[in-house]
Amino acid sequence: MYAKFWGVRGSIPAPGPQTVLYGGNTSCIEIRLASGQLLIIDAGSGIREFGLWLLANDQKQGPLKTDILLTHTHWDHIHGYPFFVPAYIKSNEFTIHGPVNYAGNLEKIFSAQMDYTYYPIKLEDAGAKVRFNELKEGTITLGGAKVTTCYLNHPILCLGYRVEADDRVICTVYDHEPYVNIFGNPEDSDEAREAQEAVDMASEKVLRHIENADLVIYDAQYHTQQELDSHRGWGHSSVEEAIANCLAARAKQLAIFHHDPTRSDEELNALHTGLRQRMQNEDKHLVIFPAKERLLVSL
Ligand SMILES: [Zn+2]
Ligand SMILES: [Zn+2]
């Protein structure tokens, strides 16, 4: 199985001379099983170019029948779909999976971006057959892949995916903010003690979600503790949090993901070099790299 990155940014596409190397497109990951089966995680702006690639490749073998797994419905995870050309081909069929939401059903939320107010073609008029599957925490089987979901800490319901296939495991943990106890010292009150227990349980669940994974694609929008602290409540993690959790869960590879739109190629290159050196110095076996558009990680 392999994972290939088509979009690695968070928040908003960030094209320009500073992001040529790592890419400016928002979340989209291709997961390809040895059988050829395709799973797509997220429909950020990266799905536009991936769609063109699919037209020149998979589509030549026949209609596409593919599952798209949405982590959640924030713009940067869905706004590429209207520009996904395979969605305009009648013989294609897509099942769009995503979290159940308190604000309405998945189909309504997803298709709202293709309302005439925002876009000239409605979802139902695009051509391809689309069905929606609302997910909670649990496990589903999609062809040869076992897909398990885990709720993450984000201002809207958001799912991490654990994809098991071909004897390998790929996990996503984005968009996700580390859980914190906002009730203070657990020794000072029952409320704070209970809050700490809840934080510990939820944090432990994320560790189990990525346990022994061959590749973890982790939200590391923030590079310093200060950046993380000044964005509490925004729903994102830091590089240190990603590393600590991947080490604790004995993951093999960590792809730093959901790069801040302001993050330049130069900064990401420096981060990569520094982390590689640090893992060597500390004699750790975790392979760490910043996710990059078109990078294919074969497992
Ligand atoms: Zn995001
Ligand atoms: Zn988000």
Side-chain angles (χ1 to χ4, degrees):
M1 156 162 84
Y2 72 72
K4 186 172 176 184
F5 297 98
W6 292 89
V8 298
R9 286 285 146 184
S11 309
I12 191 167
Q18 305 298 318
T19 58
V20 170
L21 189 60
Y22 287 88
N25 282 304
T26 54
S27 310
C28 181
I29 303 160
E30 169 189 2
I31 293 190
R32 186 74 70 161
L33 275 59
S35 64
Q37 186 191 339
L38 166 67
L39 298 175
I40 302 172
I41 302 189
D42 276 339
S45 67
I47 203 170
R48 188 189 70 82
E49 282 199 51
F50 183 36
L52 299 177
W53 188 91
L54 285 170
L55 284 189
N57 293 276
D58 292 49
Q59 194 77 53
K60 292 205 166 134
Q61 320 298 320
L64 291 173
K65 290 187 170 53
T66 298
D67 293 284
I68 300 176
L69 302 163
L70 300 177
T71 55
H72 61 309
T73 50
H74 278 165
W75 279 339
D76 50 326
H77 302 264
I78 64 168
H79 61 190
Y81 187 82
F83 305 91
F84 180 54
V85 179
Y88 295 79
I89 295 174
K90 278 199 163 50
S91 54
N92 289 343
E93 292 177 28
F94 298 104
T95 302
I96 299 178
H97 308 263
V100 171
N101 204 287
Y102 58 82
N105 67 41
L106 181 64
E107 178 170 5
K108 200 171 134 204
I109 296 167
F110 188 83
S111 60
Q113 66 172 340
M114 293 173 79
D115 183 273
Y116 287 141
T117 312
Y118 307 109
Y119 194 73
I121 311 294
K122 282 185 175 284
L123 177 74
E124 59 269 29
D125 297 332
K129 193 170 162 197
V130 181
R131 63 177 280 268
F132 288 85
N133 181 30
E134 297 194 345
L135 300 175
K136 295 181 180 175
E137 282 192 328
T139 299
I140 53 171
T141 302
L142 300 174
K146 181 178 153 195
V147 178
T148 305
T149 55
C150 172
Y151 284 132
L152 300 175
N153 188 25
H154 205 53
I156 189 177
L157 280 179
C158 179
L159 294 173
Y161 288 104
R162 180 181 175 98
V163 179
E164 297 176 57
D166 302 338
D167 248 355
R168 293 287 184 273
V169 179
I170 297 174
C171 298
T172 65
V173 185
Y174 70 87
D175 298 2
H176 176 66
E177 180 170 334
Y179 295 99
V180 287
N181 175 3
I182 56 169
F183 289 86
N185 188 335
E187 286 167 14
D188 289 349
S189 68
D190 285 349
E191 211 174 31
R193 183 181 48 75
E194 282 167 21
Q196 189 58 50
E197 282 169 11
V199 163
D200 292 345
M201 257 173 61
S203 305
E204 179 63 32
K205 208 171 72 169
V206 173
L207 290 185
R208 281 202 308 274
H209 170 67
I210 60 172
E211 199 163 38
N212 293 318
D214 295 281
L215 172 66
V216 180
I217 301 164
Y218 208 112
D219 182 338
Q221 179 140 357
Y222 307 128
H223 285 194
T224 64
Q225 188 64 33
Q226 193 195 6
E227 274 184 316
L228 177 64
D229 290 340
S230 59
H231 292 90
R232 288 286 177 195
W234 289 59
H236 299 291
S237 281
S238 65
V239 170
E240 288 306 321
E241 181 75 15
I243 294 173
N245 280 349
C246 283
L247 286 172
R250 295 174 301 281
K252 295 183 183 65
Q253 295 193 68
L254 161 60
I256 300 284
F257 192 74
H258 207 273
H259 306 314
D260 193 272
T262 62
R263 203 72 67 196
S264 68
D265 290 335
E266 208 178 328
E267 280 176 277
L268 289 169
N269 272 342
L271 177 79
H272 191 191
T273 310
L275 290 176
R276 207 165 31 196
Q277 190 62 54
R278 177 172 146 196
M279 290 300 110
Q280 260 176 30
N281 295 348
E282 294 177 8
D283 199 22
K284 298 283 196 318
H285 297 289
L286 179 64
V287 175
I288 311 178
F289 55 91
K292 184 192 279 188
E293 271 180 39
R294 305 292 177 120
L295 176 70
L296 186 154
V297 183
S298 193
L299 299 166

PDB file of all heavy atoms in Angstrom, residues 9-12 26-27 42 71-72 74-77 154 174-175 219 221 235-236 258, ligand 1:
ATOM      1  N   ARG A   9      -1.400  21.512   2.972  1.00  0.00           N
ATOM      2  CA  ARG A   9      -1.568  22.764   3.736  1.00  0.00           C
ATOM      3  C   ARG A   9      -2.815  22.703   4.608  1.00  0.00           C
ATOM      4  O   ARG A   9      -3.772  22.011   4.270  1.00  0.00           O
ATOM      5  CB  ARG A   9      -1.810  23.954   2.802  1.00  0.00           C
ATOM      6  CG  ARG A   9      -0.660  24.480   2.033  1.00  0.00           C
ATOM      7  CD  ARG A   9       0.314  25.279   2.843  1.00  0.00           C
ATOM      8  NE  ARG A   9       1.626  24.992   2.254  1.00  0.00           N
ATOM      9  CZ  ARG A   9       2.776  25.425   2.707  1.00  0.00           C
ATOM     10  NH1 ARG A   9       2.818  26.206   3.759  1.00  0.00           N
ATOM     11  NH2 ARG A   9       3.897  25.080   2.131  1.00  0.00           N
ATOM     12  N   GLY A  10      -2.800  23.535   5.640  1.00  0.00           N
ATOM     13  CA  GLY A  10      -4.017  23.738   6.411  1.00  0.00           C
ATOM     14  C   GLY A  10      -4.595  25.094   6.099  1.00  0.00           C
ATOM     15  O   GLY A  10      -3.933  25.954   5.507  1.00  0.00           O
ATOM     16  N   SER A  11      -5.848  25.263   6.437  1.00  0.00           N
ATOM     17  CA  SER A  11      -6.552  26.546   6.466  1.00  0.00           C
ATOM     18  C   SER A  11      -6.958  27.118   5.105  1.00  0.00           C
ATOM     19  O   SER A  11      -8.125  27.335   4.835  1.00  0.00           O
ATOM     20  CB  SER A  11      -5.757  27.606   7.239  1.00  0.00           C
ATOM     21  OG  SER A  11      -5.370  27.091   8.500  1.00  0.00           O
ATOM     22  N   ILE A  12      -5.989  27.377   4.239  1.00  0.00           N
ATOM     23  CA  ILE A  12      -6.305  27.992   2.939  1.00  0.00           C
ATOM     24  C   ILE A  12      -5.158  27.665   1.979  1.00  0.00           C
ATOM     25  O   ILE A  12      -4.007  27.551   2.417  1.00  0.00           O
ATOM     26  CB  ILE A  12      -6.493  29.532   3.112  1.00  0.00           C
ATOM     27  CG1 ILE A  12      -7.074  30.170   1.849  1.00  0.00           C
ATOM     28  CG2 ILE A  12      -5.187  30.215   3.511  1.00  0.00           C
ATOM     29  CD1 ILE A  12      -7.560  31.596   2.058  1.00  0.00           C
ATOM     30  N   THR A  26      -4.462  22.518  -0.164  1.00  0.00           N
ATOM     31  CA  THR A  26      -4.983  21.991   1.101  1.00  0.00           C
ATOM     32  C   THR A  26      -5.263  20.481   0.983  1.00  0.00           C
ATOM     33  O   THR A  26      -5.299  19.920  -0.119  1.00  0.00           O
ATOM     34  CB  THR A  26      -6.251  22.747   1.532  1.00  0.00           C
ATOM     35  OG1 THR A  26      -7.192  22.723   0.464  1.00  0.00           O
ATOM     36  CG2 THR A  26      -5.927  24.189   1.888  1.00  0.00           C
ATOM     37  N   SER A  27      -5.512  19.869   2.146  1.00  0.00           N
ATOM     38  CA  SER A  27      -5.556  18.414   2.353  1.00  0.00           C
ATOM     39  C   SER A  27      -6.185  17.551   1.272  1.00  0.00           C
ATOM     40  O   SER A  27      -7.374  17.690   0.970  1.00  0.00           O
ATOM     41  CB  SER A  27      -6.374  18.083   3.604  1.00  0.00           C
ATOM     42  OG  SER A  27      -5.966  18.816   4.672  1.00  0.00           O
ATOM     43  N   ASP A  42      -9.939  13.271   2.252  1.00  0.00           N
ATOM     44  CA  ASP A  42     -10.195  14.713   2.153  1.00  0.00           C
ATOM     45  C   ASP A  42     -10.207  15.260   0.713  1.00  0.00           C
ATOM     46  O   ASP A  42      -9.571  14.718  -0.190  1.00  0.00           O
ATOM     47  CB  ASP A  42      -9.226  15.523   3.016  1.00  0.00           C
ATOM     48  CG  ASP A  42      -9.711  15.599   4.468  1.00  0.00           C
ATOM     49  OD1 ASP A  42     -10.911  15.386   4.697  1.00  0.00           O
ATOM     50  OD2 ASP A  42      -8.882  15.879   5.353  1.00  0.00           O
ATOM     51  N   THR A  71     -12.281  14.013   6.779  1.00  0.00           N
ATOM     52  CA  THR A  71     -11.992  14.095   8.216  1.00  0.00           C
ATOM     53  C   THR A  71     -13.051  14.966   8.890  1.00  0.00           C
ATOM     54  O   THR A  71     -13.493  14.695   9.992  1.00  0.00           O
ATOM     55  CB  THR A  71     -10.591  14.680   8.468  1.00  0.00           C
ATOM     56  OG1 THR A  71     -10.496  15.945   7.806  1.00  0.00           O
ATOM     57  CG2 THR A  71      -9.516  13.748   7.938  1.00  0.00           C
ATOM     58  N   HIS A  72     -13.440  16.049   8.209  1.00  0.00           N
ATOM     59  CA  HIS A  72     -14.504  16.944   8.672  1.00  0.00           C
ATOM     60  C   HIS A  72     -14.827  17.898   7.536  1.00  0.00           C
ATOM     61  O   HIS A  72     -14.252  17.796   6.451  1.00  0.00           O
ATOM     62  CB  HIS A  72     -14.108  17.678   9.956  1.00  0.00           C
ATOM     63  CG  HIS A  72     -12.890  18.561   9.852  1.00  0.00           C
ATOM     64  ND1 HIS A  72     -11.687  18.136   9.341  1.00  0.00           N
ATOM     65  CD2 HIS A  72     -12.694  19.863  10.215  1.00  0.00           C
ATOM     66  CE1 HIS A  72     -10.806  19.125   9.403  1.00  0.00           C
ATOM     67  NE2 HIS A  72     -11.396  20.179   9.917  1.00  0.00           N
ATOM     68  N   HIS A  74     -14.696  21.351   7.401  1.00  0.00           N
ATOM     69  CA  HIS A  74     -14.123  22.699   7.271  1.00  0.00           C
ATOM     70  C   HIS A  74     -13.662  22.905   5.831  1.00  0.00           C
ATOM     71  O   HIS A  74     -13.271  21.966   5.152  1.00  0.00           O
ATOM     72  CB  HIS A  74     -12.940  22.874   8.250  1.00  0.00           C
ATOM     73  CG  HIS A  74     -13.392  23.213   9.643  1.00  0.00           C
ATOM     74  ND1 HIS A  74     -12.578  23.117  10.739  1.00  0.00           N
ATOM     75  CD2 HIS A  74     -14.594  23.661  10.103  1.00  0.00           C
ATOM     76  CE1 HIS A  74     -13.247  23.497  11.831  1.00  0.00           C
ATOM     77  NE2 HIS A  74     -14.469  23.816  11.462  1.00  0.00           N
ATOM     78  N   TRP A  75     -13.710  24.182   5.406  1.00  0.00           N
ATOM     79  CA  TRP A  75     -13.416  24.518   4.018  1.00  0.00           C
ATOM     80  C   TRP A  75     -12.194  23.818   3.434  1.00  0.00           C
ATOM     81  O   TRP A  75     -12.228  23.311   2.322  1.00  0.00           O
ATOM     82  CB  TRP A  75     -13.177  26.030   3.903  1.00  0.00           C
ATOM     83  CG  TRP A  75     -14.409  26.839   3.823  1.00  0.00           C
ATOM     84  CD1 TRP A  75     -15.654  26.411   3.445  1.00  0.00           C
ATOM     85  CD2 TRP A  75     -14.536  28.232   4.138  1.00  0.00           C
ATOM     86  NE1 TRP A  75     -16.537  27.447   3.515  1.00  0.00           N
ATOM     87  CE2 TRP A  75     -15.882  28.575   3.922  1.00  0.00           C
ATOM     88  CE3 TRP A  75     -13.646  29.212   4.559  1.00  0.00           C
ATOM     89  CZ2 TRP A  75     -16.356  29.877   4.124  1.00  0.00           C
ATOM     90  CZ3 TRP A  75     -14.113  30.493   4.751  1.00  0.00           C
ATOM     91  CH2 TRP A  75     -15.454  30.821   4.539  1.00  0.00           C
ATOM     92  N   ASP A  76     -11.094  23.877   4.216  1.00  0.00           N
ATOM     93  CA  ASP A  76      -9.831  23.382   3.645  1.00  0.00           C
ATOM     94  C   ASP A  76      -9.842  21.866   3.425  1.00  0.00           C
ATOM     95  O   ASP A  76      -8.877  21.330   2.873  1.00  0.00           O
ATOM     96  CB  ASP A  76      -8.628  23.806   4.522  1.00  0.00           C
ATOM     97  CG  ASP A  76      -8.804  23.501   5.991  1.00  0.00           C
ATOM     98  OD1 ASP A  76      -9.941  23.570   6.484  1.00  0.00           O
ATOM     99  OD2 ASP A  76      -7.798  23.197   6.656  1.00  0.00           O
ATOM    100  N   HIS A  77     -10.928  21.200   3.815  1.00  0.00           N
ATOM    101  CA  HIS A  77     -10.996  19.755   3.626  1.00  0.00           C
ATOM    102  C   HIS A  77     -12.059  19.356   2.603  1.00  0.00           C
ATOM    103  O   HIS A  77     -12.210  18.173   2.285  1.00  0.00           O
ATOM    104  CB  HIS A  77     -11.221  19.061   4.977  1.00  0.00           C
ATOM    105  CG  HIS A  77     -10.120  19.401   5.933  1.00  0.00           C
ATOM    106  ND1 HIS A  77      -9.028  18.573   6.120  1.00  0.00           N
ATOM    107  CD2 HIS A  77      -9.889  20.520   6.673  1.00  0.00           C
ATOM    108  CE1 HIS A  77      -8.190  19.158   6.966  1.00  0.00           C
ATOM    109  NE2 HIS A  77      -8.680  20.341   7.301  1.00  0.00           N
ATOM    110  N   HIS A 154     -11.367  19.090  17.976  1.00  0.00           N
ATOM    111  CA  HIS A 154     -11.454  20.163  16.992  1.00  0.00           C
ATOM    112  C   HIS A 154     -12.774  20.899  17.244  1.00  0.00           C
ATOM    113  O   HIS A 154     -13.682  20.311  17.818  1.00  0.00           O
ATOM    114  CB  HIS A 154     -11.418  19.534  15.588  1.00  0.00           C
ATOM    115  CG  HIS A 154     -10.918  20.458  14.526  1.00  0.00           C
ATOM    116  ND1 HIS A 154      -9.723  21.130  14.632  1.00  0.00           N
ATOM    117  CD2 HIS A 154     -11.447  20.828  13.330  1.00  0.00           C
ATOM    118  CE1 HIS A 154      -9.555  21.872  13.537  1.00  0.00           C
ATOM    119  NE2 HIS A 154     -10.593  21.713  12.739  1.00  0.00           N
ATOM    120  N   TYR A 174      -5.472  14.629  12.203  1.00  0.00           N
ATOM    121  CA  TYR A 174      -5.638  16.052  11.891  1.00  0.00           C
ATOM    122  C   TYR A 174      -7.121  16.228  11.564  1.00  0.00           C
ATOM    123  O   TYR A 174      -7.743  15.257  11.144  1.00  0.00           O
ATOM    124  CB  TYR A 174      -4.736  16.469  10.706  1.00  0.00           C
ATOM    125  CG  TYR A 174      -5.163  15.910   9.371  1.00  0.00           C
ATOM    126  CD1 TYR A 174      -6.099  16.581   8.574  1.00  0.00           C
ATOM    127  CD2 TYR A 174      -4.676  14.686   8.908  1.00  0.00           C
ATOM    128  CE1 TYR A 174      -6.516  16.062   7.351  1.00  0.00           C
ATOM    129  CE2 TYR A 174      -5.091  14.186   7.688  1.00  0.00           C
ATOM    130  CZ  TYR A 174      -6.010  14.873   6.918  1.00  0.00           C
ATOM    131  OH  TYR A 174      -6.428  14.362   5.719  1.00  0.00           O
ATOM    132  N   ASP A 175      -7.744  17.360  11.818  1.00  0.00           N
ATOM    133  CA  ASP A 175      -7.233  18.483  12.571  1.00  0.00           C
ATOM    134  C   ASP A 175      -7.454  18.159  14.047  1.00  0.00           C
ATOM    135  O   ASP A 175      -8.564  17.804  14.448  1.00  0.00           O
ATOM    136  CB  ASP A 175      -7.976  19.750  12.194  1.00  0.00           C
ATOM    137  CG  ASP A 175      -7.790  20.132  10.717  1.00  0.00           C
ATOM    138  OD1 ASP A 175      -7.127  19.393   9.982  1.00  0.00           O
ATOM    139  OD2 ASP A 175      -8.342  21.158  10.290  1.00  0.00           O
ATOM    140  N   ASP A 219      -1.295  16.359  12.413  1.00  0.00           N
ATOM    141  CA  ASP A 219      -1.435  17.816  12.431  1.00  0.00           C
ATOM    142  C   ASP A 219      -0.269  18.433  13.218  1.00  0.00           C
ATOM    143  O   ASP A 219      -0.117  18.178  14.411  1.00  0.00           O
ATOM    144  CB  ASP A 219      -2.773  18.146  13.123  1.00  0.00           C
ATOM    145  CG  ASP A 219      -3.103  19.630  13.185  1.00  0.00           C
ATOM    146  OD1 ASP A 219      -2.185  20.463  13.082  1.00  0.00           O
ATOM    147  OD2 ASP A 219      -4.296  19.936  13.339  1.00  0.00           O
ATOM    148  N   GLN A 221       0.530  21.990  12.679  1.00  0.00           N
ATOM    149  CA  GLN A 221       0.442  23.340  12.121  1.00  0.00           C
ATOM    150  C   GLN A 221       1.398  24.293  12.852  1.00  0.00           C
ATOM    151  O   GLN A 221       1.934  25.210  12.254  1.00  0.00           O
ATOM    152  CB  GLN A 221      -1.010  23.845  12.221  1.00  0.00           C
ATOM    153  CG  GLN A 221      -1.193  25.256  11.684  1.00  0.00           C
ATOM    154  CD  GLN A 221      -2.484  25.438  10.900  1.00  0.00           C
ATOM    155  OE1 GLN A 221      -3.234  24.496  10.699  1.00  0.00           O
ATOM    156  NE2 GLN A 221      -2.738  26.637  10.437  1.00  0.00           N
ATOM    157  N   GLY A 235      -7.811  24.356  17.316  1.00  0.00           N
ATOM    158  CA  GLY A 235      -7.978  22.955  16.918  1.00  0.00           C
ATOM    159  C   GLY A 235      -6.791  22.315  16.236  1.00  0.00           C
ATOM    160  O   GLY A 235      -6.973  21.395  15.434  1.00  0.00           O
ATOM    161  N   HIS A 236      -5.576  22.794  16.549  1.00  0.00           N
ATOM    162  CA  HIS A 236      -4.405  22.211  15.888  1.00  0.00           C
ATOM    163  C   HIS A 236      -3.286  21.865  16.874  1.00  0.00           C
ATOM    164  O   HIS A 236      -3.268  22.353  17.998  1.00  0.00           O
ATOM    165  CB  HIS A 236      -3.882  23.159  14.803  1.00  0.00           C
ATOM    166  CG  HIS A 236      -4.911  23.391  13.746  1.00  0.00           C
ATOM    167  ND1 HIS A 236      -5.286  22.400  12.872  1.00  0.00           N
ATOM    168  CD2 HIS A 236      -5.683  24.466  13.483  1.00  0.00           C
ATOM    169  CE1 HIS A 236      -6.246  22.871  12.091  1.00  0.00           C
ATOM    170  NE2 HIS A 236      -6.514  24.112  12.434  1.00  0.00           N
ATOM    171  N   HIS A 258      -0.627  19.407   7.516  1.00  0.00           N
ATOM    172  CA  HIS A 258      -1.480  20.577   7.751  1.00  0.00           C
ATOM    173  C   HIS A 258      -0.588  21.784   8.035  1.00  0.00           C
ATOM    174  O   HIS A 258      -0.760  22.508   9.029  1.00  0.00           O
ATOM    175  CB  HIS A 258      -2.441  20.300   8.928  1.00  0.00           C
ATOM    176  CG  HIS A 258      -3.735  21.073   8.869  1.00  0.00           C
ATOM    177  ND1 HIS A 258      -3.864  22.337   9.383  1.00  0.00           N
ATOM    178  CD2 HIS A 258      -4.956  20.772   8.371  1.00  0.00           C
ATOM    179  CE1 HIS A 258      -5.097  22.769   9.212  1.00  0.00           C
ATOM    180  NE2 HIS A 258      -5.785  21.831   8.590  1.00  0.00           N
TER     181      HIS A 258
HETATM  182 ZN    ZN B   1      -7.888  21.984   8.382  1.00  0.00          ZN
END
